[in-house]
Amino acid sequence: MGERPAWWQTLYSPWYNALLTLAAGAAVLAGGRAAIAWAVRWARWDVLWPNLRLLLVGTYPPDQVWRVQACVAGLALLAAATAAVRWLEARRGRPPWAERARLALGVAWVLSLPVVVGLLSGVRTSLWGGLLVTLLLAVGGIALSFPLGVLLALGRRSAWPVVRLLSTLYIEVVRGVPLVTVLFMAQILLPIFLPEVRLDRLLRALAGITAFSAAYLAEAVRGGLQGVPLGQYEAAHALGLSGAQVLRLVVLPQALRAVLPAVAGQFISLLKDTSLVAIMGIQDLLGVARSVLANPRWLGRQAEVYVFVGLVYWALTYSLSAASRRLEQRGAAGRG
Amino acid sequence: MLLAVLALLAAAAYANMQRGLRALGLELGFDFLRVEAGFDIAEGPAYSPGDTYARAFWVGVVNTLRVTAVGLVGATVVGVVVGVTRLSSNWLVRSLAAVYVEVVRNVPLLLQLLFWYGAVFLQLPPVRQSITWLGVIHVTQRGIYLPRLVWQDGRPLWEVPVLQGFNFRGGVHLSPEFAALVLGLVIYTGAFIAEVVRGAVQSVPRGQWEAAEALGLGHLQTLRLVVVPQALRIIVPPLTNQYLNLAKNSSLAVAIGFPDLFSVGHTILNQTGQSIPVFVMIMATYLSMSLVTSALMNLYNRRVRLVER
């Protein structure tokens, strides 16, 4: 008999670990058995299938769903193209066309969001729902709050006292109140302050999410800015770079790389936080789940529906955090 | 120049607000606070629908503080236990803690609250078939009934809940809304605190353990005298953040019908239409709660931080 692996040995030595293993093992067995018994015998999963369409796209009209499908197909194509270019680059070692291909892909990715929104807009936004809305709010929130957060972080370190004061005030106030208050403010107060502009409900929710997340991102980015040594600014200035160039070419790349984990963590929070729009009556993934449960036909299926929705959220956030870990490793490799 | 632009923007916003308010037929002011509220609040300090809006708001504030206080204690206990468990040498125990943290942190809190409320607490048996532990704790559809310590003739005495008619009398009653909210907040925030604790303990250099052992200190002594004081220094700032998050997240009570500060404020807003004053009140209350918590934790931080020559 060979040597047992180290992790296996920890299960019985020293002596108290054997007791812990027994207790934990009993808990796992009991819990696992109960969970499996529930999932197989008691849970009535028939609630999911008839409502799957609602959970995915909400009340998006069936004859218009091709718009959603086109968006998904287009994005999948774009992702495949990106992966193909990467793979070819890795095999052939930067052929001459790589630079242009990269640029084209970058432009395509940046344009994809407005194109997707434009394509989907063939249907009133009040009919959008489900996972579609959750993803749009998350991607839109990330795309909008990131630049705003960087601006706020720079503003908090600005040489102008007024800008510094206002940025600090904004960041501290927003971080001091719950997201629901910000979301409700966006729903109720925006129409009061902008009586002429009729902003869409979904857009107001997006504005609230963006305004909230930007304050947290600003604090994350500020940490990175503080970590850039003064000598870097001085060296860049000595090379004759302008203020904006110093930021764009020297300071921000270093600062953002340093805070990548914190920023990714904020994006993950944002994704989870989009679920709060359900309180505002917007039919995102969680909102649709609640509507389904409000239907008397599906009475008492809370556990089934919430477990399913939880799995979807978990898969989304987990893949985001896996992606951020990969990016981090690549960044570390680039420095090495 | 910049100042002028900002002043112009502020003036434009103000003018817009005036126009917007006029369009809705509203006037700014806090006079509405003296008006009779007329809606009922399910739990909290003494209150009746005949009381004023100000009193109703106060009930909401107290309810938020109740949830936050209980939640803070519970989340700290869960967080410390799970954080230490994640560092256990036992593979099974360590993995269990890791699974808990990874599952709970990656699912939205609102979903978890709805799950605890809708799928657990509302599905419990009715009062007459209550689940009873030790004969004194009753878990039912209408909430949890616990024994309460009371003073009678100068002596402490346990007051036990007893079934009388259709309900339990005596003891402490936790409504399903309160219980679900606190449970959800404790489980969610506990996972985050566990990560804070784990990171802090791991950041204490191995040499510190070895040095303490070399000095002849036992395992517990090493923990108490060497590791915990150093870990506390690192723990306090991120722990403060988690405490603040818990306080702010308690506003999700509105989704399960617990009458907290935000939920009562929202009802007042719907009834009076005084959106701006009510929002100012809600935000000012949360802000001052955040400020007081940070101030207290900073005070504590000053006591535990490294004092250098």
Side-chain angles (χ1 to χ4, degrees), chain B residues 100-260:
Chain B
Y100 161 73
V101 169
E102 288 301 327
V103 168
V104 167
R105 287 203 318 167
N106 282 319
V107 175
L109 172 61
L110 180 60
L111 177 61
Q112 295 186 35
L113 287 177
L114 291 173
F115 177 84
W116 291 121
Y117 184 60
V120 177
F121 278 93
L122 290 188
Q123 310 298 327
L124 288 169
V127 169
R128 284 173 171 279
Q129 294 139 34
S130 71
I131 303 167
T132 304
W133 286 319
L134 309 170
V136 290
I137 300 171
H138 305 277
V139 181
T140 77
Q141 216 172 32
R142 283 203 211 147
I144 301 174
Y145 298 85
L146 302 168
R148 174 169 59 172
L149 200 59
V150 289
W151 290 94
Q152 210 166 47
D153 310 328
R155 265 183 323 201
L157 194 77
W158 284 105
E159 186 190 280
V160 178
V162 186
L163 189 61
Q164 268 180 12
F166 294 108
N167 223 334
F168 284 98
R169 291 279 156 81
V172 185
H173 172 221
L174 308 177
S175 69
E177 291 82 16
F178 179 87
L181 184 60
V182 168
L183 184 68
L185 285 172
V186 163
I187 287 180
Y188 187 76
T189 317
F192 284 88
I193 293 181
E195 286 298 275
V196 170
V197 170
R198 177 176 72 107
V201 173
Q202 274 178 337
S203 72
V204 175
R206 182 168 277 280
Q208 297 281 330
W209 286 90
E210 290 164 359
E213 249 168 71
L215 285 174
L217 297 183
H219 189 76
L220 280 181
Q221 273 180 317
T222 308
L223 265 181
R224 191 168 59 86
L225 298 172
V226 179
V227 177
V228 169
Q230 295 187 63
L232 265 186
R233 254 173 234 147
I234 303 166
I235 284 179
V236 171
L239 187 65
T240 310
N241 270 338
Q242 292 308 326
Y243 283 179
L244 293 175
N245 282 345
L246 188 143
K248 286 180 278 174
N249 283 337
S250 70
S251 60
L252 294 186
V254 69
I256 56 174
F258 177 77
D260 79 321

Side-chain angles (χ1 to χ4, degrees), chain A residues 1-335:
Chain A
M1 222 169 113
E3 180 73 5
R4 294 192 174 100
W7 67 267
W8 179 258
Q9 286 179 22
T10 64
L11 291 183
Y12 53 81
S13 100
W15 61 270
Y16 54 79
N17 265 347
L19 294 184
L20 280 177
T21 304
L22 280 182
V28 170
L29 282 182
R33 255 186 64 178
I36 290 173
W38 175 78
V40 175
R41 205 173 303 154
W42 303 111
R44 289 165 298 172
W45 297 106
D46 59 331
V47 58
L48 292 180
W49 188 242
N51 293 309
L52 198 58
R53 165 203 216 71
L54 273 179
L55 289 167
L56 287 179
V57 295
T59 44
Y60 212 88
D63 58 333
Q64 300 287 322
V65 167
W66 61 268
R67 293 173 185 276
V68 183
Q69 287 161 346
C71 289
V72 173
L75 289 175
L77 219 62
L78 199 50
T82 311
V85 167
R86 273 245 177 82
W87 185 73
L88 283 175
E89 262 184 25
R91 282 213 31 195
R92 304 249 178 96
R94 290 206 163 240
W97 49 264
E99 207 59 40
R100 256 183 298 161
R102 264 175 179 246
L103 189 71
L105 282 174
V107 171
W109 276 115
V110 170
L111 286 181
S112 65
L113 188 60
V115 168
V116 163
V117 172
L119 190 57
L120 292 175
S121 298
V123 173
R124 285 186 288 130
T125 57
S126 55
L127 296 178
W128 302 12
L131 186 60
L132 177 69
V133 162
T134 294
L135 288 179
L136 279 177
L137 283 177
V139 174
I142 288 173
L144 292 176
S145 67
F146 184 64
L148 190 58
V150 172
L151 277 183
L152 278 170
L154 292 173
R156 199 166 177 174
R157 290 164 57 85
S158 161
W160 295 328
V162 191
V163 175
R164 202 162 59 226
L165 184 77
L166 285 178
S167 306
T168 310
L169 198 68
Y170 177 85
I171 292 170
E172 292 305 329
V173 167
V174 170
R175 276 165 27 104
V177 300
L179 174 55
V180 263
T181 59
V182 177
L183 284 175
F184 266 93
M185 262 179 71
Q187 290 298 339
I188 296 172
L189 296 193
L190 268 186
I192 293 184
F193 280 93
L194 299 166
E196 281 84 16
V197 195
R198 284 199 53 82
L199 274 178
D200 186 80
R201 262 164 64 80
L202 211 54
L203 217 54
R204 277 182 274 162
L206 182 62
I209 289 173
T210 304
F212 184 77
S213 189
Y216 284 82
L217 278 172
E219 281 303 274
V221 172
R222 185 165 72 107
L225 288 176
Q226 278 172 350
V228 178
L230 213 58
Q232 296 282 329
Y233 290 85
E234 289 161 0
H237 277 298
L239 285 174
L241 299 183
S242 72
Q245 278 177 322
V246 173
L247 276 181
R248 192 166 58 86
L249 299 172
V250 179
V251 176
L252 278 181
Q254 298 186 52
L256 293 182
R257 186 180 295 163
V259 296
L260 187 74
V263 169
Q266 188 50 44
F267 287 163
I268 292 171
S269 298
L270 189 150
L271 175 62
K272 288 188 292 171
D273 284 344
T274 57
S275 62
L276 264 64
V277 300
I279 301 180
M280 244 74 43
I282 288 175
Q283 299 288 316
D284 74 324
L285 182 55
L286 189 55
V288 168
R290 291 178 83 188
S291 309
V292 168
L293 290 169
N295 183 343
R297 212 180 130 199
W298 310 113
L299 210 65
R301 310 285 176 89
Q302 276 93 342
E304 289 86 348
V305 173
Y306 288 147
V307 164
F308 174 75
V309 171
L311 279 176
V312 175
Y313 274 112
W314 188 85
L316 289 177
T317 48
Y318 199 79
S319 41
L320 241 182
S321 65
S324 101
R325 270 198 296 272
R326 261 192 51 199
L327 254 179
E328 233 174 280
Q329 276 160 9
R330 222 182 325 142
R335 249 176 311 178

